[in-house]
Amino acid sequence: MTQRAATAAAAAVLAATALLGLAPQAAAAPASPVPQPQSATAENKAAAAQAATAPDTLATLSRFFAREGKVSLTAARPRIEGEAIPVNHLSPEFVAGRAGAPVARLEFLAGKAVSSDGQQAALWIARTEAGWQVVNIATGDDEFRYAQLGAAKLPGGTVFREPQIDAWYVAGGSRVLPLDEDAVRAVGAGGTTLGAYRTRVAEAYGDKLPGSAYAEGGVAGGYAEAEAEAEAVPAAVAADAEGAGVPWAAGAGALVLGGLGVAAVRRSRRVGARA
């Protein structure tokens, strides 16, 4: 597992901004999140691809890959490989026990970016008030690697992340199977039933859903183990944190604009949505 860290000031830092760039931009208040589509249609993937390959995005990627001196700004030459894939997160409706609610919902689309020296990053692409935009850049290939693992382990299943503990699973039929060590700790190496998984997450997060006193109180954290490992950082350096997991987001807009939980897993640079 990578080292965890977190920021309690994400909402101020990740609000909508006027520029697509690496420097964090603060705003008086975050914009209202835009609900994401229920599925990644061909039209949505095409819009995501357009956002991923935009000149501003590629310029930002060059700075991202060059940030630690591994490659020069001019030599980075980032490229986008393959099509955008759907990234699902644990659904609050499922946690709340809503009849017919799926275990996960679409949170954003991810595009794979690769630099000339082999560095990889995931572009998080979401539907915003201004259209489909890149809202975050995260190092590594987690989204793509777990999608492949899930397809191999349970063909046709839904790969999803439980961001509160940075655990990846694949669900299909009545089973939930782990894809990483965090998920194994949560449900065991053999996985669990869908019903047993819902019982677990309801006990862990049921009192922290949107509209709860916990959520309305603006309490940061929400998961004891994550809190114990987390280290709050000032808003001014939040973009250099090791990422920030968010328990409940109304689509990826809320994911980057703020939330309750802290379960950071990878170094990331957030990209403010352009007005």
Side-chain angles (χ1 to χ4, degrees):
M1 179 196 302
T2 53
Q3 181 181 6
R4 292 174 183 259
T7 173
V13 177
L14 304 174
T17 66
L19 296 175
L20 180 70
L22 294 181
Q25 303 289 326
S32 299
V34 175
Q36 299 305 295
Q38 294 184 353
S39 62
T41 64
E43 182 180 2
N44 293 334
K45 289 182 178 181
Q50 185 174 4
T53 57
D56 282 350
T57 301
L58 296 177
T60 298
L61 279 169
S62 292
R63 297 194 296 275
F64 179 82
F65 287 130
R67 72 194 184 283
E68 295 177 349
K70 295 178 180 179
V71 66
S72 71
L73 184 65
T74 56
R77 298 193 302 276
R79 66 184 185 277
I80 307 301
E81 290 190 348
E83 68 175 12
I85 64 170
V87 178
N88 304 295
H89 279 189
L90 174 64
S91 167
E93 290 78 18
F94 176 80
V95 174
R98 183 174 300 176
V103 65
R105 68 182 184 186
L106 181 68
E107 200 69 15
F108 55 88
L109 299 182
K112 180 183 287 189
V114 182
S115 70
S116 61
D117 65 338
Q119 294 183 71
Q120 296 187 53
L123 295 172
W124 295 6
I125 310 164
R127 186 169 62 185
T128 72
E129 291 182 347
W132 285 88
Q133 294 184 322
V134 175
V135 295
N136 187 57
I137 302 174
T139 58
D141 65 345
D142 284 11
E143 292 79 7
F144 313 98
R145 181 160 45 88
Y146 289 120
Q148 292 177 346
L149 286 173
K153 194 167 190 176
L154 190 59
T158 298
V159 174
F160 71 99
R161 179 173 177 248
E162 184 183 330
Q164 296 82 356
I165 60 172
D166 185 32
W168 288 86
Y169 310 85
V170 59
S174 62
R175 300 294 298 173
V176 177
L177 304 179
L179 296 178
D180 68 356
E181 61 184 29
D182 297 292
V184 169
R185 280 193 288 268
V187 301
T192 188
T193 65
L194 190 64
Y197 179 72
R198 201 202 76 78
T199 298
R200 189 189 74 78
V201 295
E203 291 176 351
Y205 315 123
D207 61 346
K208 301 170 181 64
L209 292 168
S212 67
Y214 180 93
E216 292 179 354
V219 181
Y223 190 77
E225 293 182 11
E227 288 178 3
E229 298 178 6
E231 177 184 357
V233 297
V237 295
D240 287 327
E242 289 291 310
V246 177
W248 310 118
L255 179 71
V256 293
L257 289 175
L260 302 178
V262 286
V265 292
R266 292 177 293 159
R267 180 180 300 278
S268 62
R269 289 280 187 178
R270 283 124 185 131
V271 180
R274 286 170 291 181

